[in-house]
Amino acid sequence: MMKTNHNFADYTVTLAGLMDNRVKFANNIRKGIDLAKNISCLLQLKDTLLYIQRCIFWECLSQGYCSESNQSTLQQINEEISNCNSELNNQIHKAVTDKIMEEFTEFAKRQLDNGYL
């Protein structure tokens, strides 16, 4: 989690780095590189995005308005959170599907070995 930084001008740069990390973690997952570690990293990234979102939201509330740049950053953050959710859902679906297919293959092999198929 990021330390509290009351200089809100760095959010856009931070967000760009987080977006790059999301793509990197998602690509690592697709390549089969340490699934659990990369899913954990995506979850941490999502937490960081939510933290920045709350900071900007509270800044807007404290000022009584939300600047155009903050609105744009909030929109980007929402899109990145959605991308994280989609990637996590895809990976969970793939892991479950792979496990079911593995079990089905083992079952069919046992049936064939026992002469039932």
Side-chain angles (χ1 to χ4, degrees), residues 10-22 49 76 80:
D10 297 328
Y11 282 138
T12 303
V13 173
T14 302
L15 181 59
L18 293 173
M19 290 165 62
D20 289 343
N21 281 338
R22 181 193 50 79
L49 288 165
Q76 284 182 302
E80 280 305 300

Side-chain angles (χ1 to χ4, degrees), residues 23-44:
V23 171
K24 180 182 84 174
F25 298 140
N27 285 337
N28 284 347
I29 290 169
R30 284 187 201 99
K31 293 175 189 171
I33 300 172
D34 200 354
L35 179 67
K37 178 183 175 217
N38 284 294
I39 286 177
S40 175
C41 289
L42 273 174
L43 288 169
Q44 289 173 358

Side-chain angles (χ1 to χ4, degrees), residues 58-70:
W58 285 111
E59 177 188 12
C60 291
L61 279 179
S62 70
Q63 293 176 352
Y65 72 97
C66 196
S67 69
E68 200 171 302
S69 64
N70 278 346

Side-chain angles (χ1 to χ4, degrees), residues 11-117:
Y11 282 138
T12 303
V13 173
T14 302
L15 181 59
L18 293 173
M19 290 165 62
D20 289 343
N21 281 338
R22 181 193 50 79
V23 171
K24 180 182 84 174
F25 298 140
N27 285 337
N28 284 347
I29 290 169
R30 284 187 201 99
K31 293 175 189 171
I33 300 172
D34 200 354
L35 179 67
K37 178 183 175 217
N38 284 294
I39 286 177
S40 175
C41 289
L42 273 174
L43 288 169
Q44 289 173 358
L45 179 88
K46 182 180 168 186
D47 286 344
T48 302
L49 288 165
L50 289 167
Y51 172 79
I52 292 172
Q53 184 183 48
R54 281 191 300 274
C55 288
I56 294 172
F57 177 74
W58 285 111
E59 177 188 12
C60 291
L61 279 179
S62 70
Q63 293 176 352
Y65 72 97
C66 196
S67 69
E68 200 171 302
S69 64
N70 278 346
Q71 288 176 18
S72 174
T73 302
L74 286 170
Q75 183 177 359
Q76 284 182 302
I77 290 171
N78 284 335
E79 289 171 10
E80 280 305 300
I81 290 170
S82 178
N83 289 338
C84 283
N85 287 337
S86 292
E87 189 61 45
L88 289 164
N89 287 335
N90 289 341
Q91 292 309 312
I92 290 168
H93 176 60
K94 182 183 179 309
V96 169
T97 301
D98 289 350
K99 185 63 177 172
I100 290 169
M101 291 306 296
E102 179 183 312
E103 292 292 324
F104 180 73
T105 301
E106 283 297 314
F107 173 77
K109 184 178 182 292
R110 283 192 309 273
Q111 294 297 314
L112 187 60
D113 290 346
N114 291 329
Y116 297 125
L117 289 178

